[in-house]
Amino acid sequence: NRKKIISVDDLVSGILSGNITALSRAITLIESTNPSHTKKTNEIITKCLPYSNTSIRIGITGVPGVGKSTFIEAFGIHLTSLQKKVAVLAVDPSSSLSQGSILGDKTRMVDLVKNENAFIRPSPSGNSLGGVARKTRETIILCEAAGFDTIIIETVGVGQSETAVHSMVDFFLLLKLAGAGDELQGIKRGIIEMADAIVINKADGDNLKAAKMAKVEFNRALHLYPAKSSEWTPKVTLCSALEREGIPEVWNMIEDYTKTTSENQYFETNRNNQNKFWLLQTIEDRLKSDFYNASKIKLALPQQIKLVEVGKTTPFAAAEYLLSL
Ligand code: GDP
């Protein structure tokens, strides 16, 4: 067996010196479902934690086809031209099941992947959103410790994953398209409410006029929402990810946001609240998985389900019994 066992300290010092191999290895440990790796990853994360937190974390969402990969590539290249170090991560609990929309996919960001100041990691697999999100959150910490100062978290505009991503980022960006007059339909109210910016992509060619009209409509729609506790007024901008236009404007806006929310201390408060949320979330996930993985439960649960099915016990009595085990 030529595989060398690498110690926690070696991995951590590798990460802190910006070694991408060490970073990738540590992330693989985070993504491992082997319970014996948990202790090791927890040690790594604890040791990296003091070196994280000096970044901006940006969430990007939008329906498949809106241009997320194209946008992130253009945006990432702009950021690296400003001497930033960019990590692109993803939360996509569906990808492992459907293989439909694999986010943060290297093959879709051909230019960025070649850039030595960019690090792209596809979504971890897993069938629970909680698990996938936790892994991504832990990965953020390692990337920051490795010197990445701009973290982009991509997610797909369907389902609950936006809420999870919103709870781990400083700035949340919604990519939209100008539609055929139905711009405001089909948008989940909750997502608009979370957005710090709506960026209308594909504002090019024949689409430009519709995009400009959509901008007016989105601006009007945003006024219907109550003011945010960040005191930041969400902005609507146009861009063409394909032609790489309107991209620097998005970054300038995020810098404005950072300035505003640092001055009024929302930035820090928000991160503290997110940490509290993740603490509780981690406990919940852990209690659940410990319960379902316990051998007694694995044995008794199917039996109790059978008994409930045939009316020999009630769901509540069965639950009480299982919990008592
Ligand atoms: P994703 O599924 O949201 O990641 O979307 P992609 O980035 O894969 O883009 C979907 C399609 O839209 C691709 O064919 C892109 O070339 C195209 N596309 C992306 N951005 C633009 C843009 O700004 N203008 C135009 N015209 N096409 C774009």
Side-chain angles (χ1 to χ4, degrees):
N1 188 357
R2 296 199 300 127
K3 242 195 197 159
K4 231 172 59 190
I5 309 271
I6 302 157
S7 75
V8 165
D9 285 339
D10 284 348
L11 276 177
V12 171
S13 65
I15 292 169
L16 294 181
S17 65
N19 181 312
I20 296 301
T21 311
L23 175 64
S24 299
R25 285 208 172 129
I27 296 173
T28 303
L29 279 181
I30 286 178
E31 292 175 352
S32 160
T33 48
N34 183 341
S36 71
H37 289 154
T38 310
K39 192 167 162 271
K40 209 168 172 184
T41 54
N42 282 342
E43 272 180 57
I44 297 171
I45 294 164
T46 307
K47 290 191 167 155
C48 285
L49 206 50
Y51 303 92
S52 72
N53 258 13
T54 51
S55 67
I56 174 91
R57 304 167 184 166
I58 303 164
I60 295 183
T61 189
V63 294
V66 71
K68 290 181 297 300
S69 302
T70 315
F71 176 84
I72 290 170
E73 168 141 282
F75 189 54
I77 286 167
H78 176 65
L79 292 173
T80 55
S81 79
L82 301 174
Q83 316 307 322
K84 305 250 165 238
K85 289 190 75 183
V86 184
V88 181
L89 312 174
V91 172
D92 180 13
S94 68
S95 67
S96 55
L97 303 174
S98 63
Q99 309 215 324
S101 48
I102 299 168
L103 300 160
D105 186 340
K106 295 183 184 189
T107 58
R108 300 206 298 158
M109 299 177 197
V110 281
D111 285 343
L112 194 59
V113 78
K114 285 183 266 176
N115 194 307
E116 60 174 21
N117 287 319
F119 175 74
I120 302 173
R121 184 86 184 189
S123 182
S125 61
N127 42 28
S128 90
L129 173 60
V132 170
R134 197 199 67 239
K135 290 171 190 179
T136 302
R137 200 182 144 80
E138 292 176 346
T139 301
I140 294 175
I141 292 165
L142 301 195
C143 289
E144 290 175 353
F148 289 93
D149 51 30
T150 314
I151 314 289
I152 296 173
I153 322 281
E154 179 184 9
T155 194
V156 74
V158 290
Q160 289 298 304
S161 55
E162 282 91 356
T163 315
V165 170
H166 183 251
S167 69
M168 60 177 90
V169 298
D170 307 306
F171 189 92
F172 195 68
L173 190 158
L174 173 61
L175 271 187
K176 291 296 295 179
L177 293 175
D182 60 353
E183 284 85 5
L184 299 179
Q185 297 169 21
I187 305 167
K188 283 164 267 169
R189 188 188 154 94
I191 296 179
I192 293 257
E193 216 158 357
M194 287 189 279
D196 296 303
I198 296 175
V199 176
I200 302 165
N201 189 33
K202 308 198 189 183
D204 46 43
D206 292 345
N207 229 344
L208 187 57
K209 198 166 159 229
K212 284 182 176 161
M213 276 161 62
K215 182 178 170 180
V216 175
E217 286 206 40
F218 279 121
N219 261 323
R220 200 177 292 147
L222 281 174
H223 277 108
L224 302 175
Y225 291 96
K228 285 175 177 280
S229 45
S230 58
E231 295 172 26
W232 167 258
T233 313
K235 306 278 185 294
V236 186
T237 70
L238 300 181
C239 88
S240 169
L242 199 63
E243 293 178 5
R244 301 193 177 169
E245 276 171 27
I247 304 289
E249 287 78 356
V250 173
W251 174 245
N252 296 344
M253 170 172 62
I254 293 174
E255 286 201 306
D256 283 347
Y257 174 88
T258 313
K259 189 166 176 285
T260 305
T261 55
S262 300
E263 278 167 9
N264 68 18
Q265 275 148 34
Y266 175 84
F267 195 96
E268 204 189 326
T269 310
N270 185 44
R271 281 205 175 180
N272 287 338
N273 287 337
Q274 290 178 338
N275 282 336
K276 276 184 245 168
F277 170 80
W278 281 98
L279 164 70
L280 299 175
Q281 193 73 30
T282 306
I283 292 174
E284 269 174 46
D285 290 349
R286 197 45 184 281
L287 285 173
K288 253 198 208 165
S289 69
D290 283 357
F291 176 78
Y292 287 109
N293 288 328
S295 49
K296 276 184 187 169
I297 300 301
K298 278 188 176 158
L299 200 70
L301 182 60
Q303 296 167 352
Q304 292 295 313
I305 289 175
K306 273 253 162 57
L307 292 175
V308 170
E309 273 170 4
V310 297
K312 288 249 164 72
T313 182
T314 68
F316 313 105
E320 278 305 327
Y321 169 71
L322 289 165
L323 287 165
S324 76
L325 292 179

